[in-house]
Amino acid sequence: MLPLASAPEYTLPFVGPGTYLIFGIVLMPVYLMIAAWFLGEPSDVRKALLGVVYVAGLTTSLWGGLFVATMVIKLLFF
């Protein structure tokens, strides 16, 4: 097992061990919820797509807000 500090020679931006943890394990309930909207009974495609748009909008606003806050902190303190 490799320690987290040892990075390979080439890495993609923003990709680290935490990225795989968040998108692979932590968000699994969200993936299951979205799959259930489309695969469950009774299934309503319009409402399922509306739910996907809500989840995508919330995610975008959270990540966008965190990005802006990070840039403000960078400008003020570094």
Side-chain angles (χ1 to χ4, degrees):
M1 182 173 212
L2 294 173
L4 295 177
S6 67
E9 188 175 312
Y10 174 76
T11 58
L12 296 172
F14 304 114
V15 176
T19 304
Y20 297 111
L21 177 70
I22 290 171
F23 287 104
I25 297 172
V26 174
L27 291 178
M28 185 59 66
V30 176
Y31 302 148
L32 293 175
M33 175 186 68
I34 292 173
W37 287 343
F38 289 100
L39 302 175
E41 288 294 328
S43 180
D44 185 359
V45 176
R46 259 186 83 193
K47 288 183 182 177
L49 288 175
L50 182 63
V52 170
V53 169
Y54 280 146
V55 169
L58 286 171
T59 305
T60 303
S61 65
L62 285 171
W63 282 64
L66 288 171
F67 177 75
V68 169
T70 303
M71 292 300 108
V72 168
I73 289 170
K74 181 180 178 181
L75 288 173
L76 291 177
F77 296 106
F78 298 103

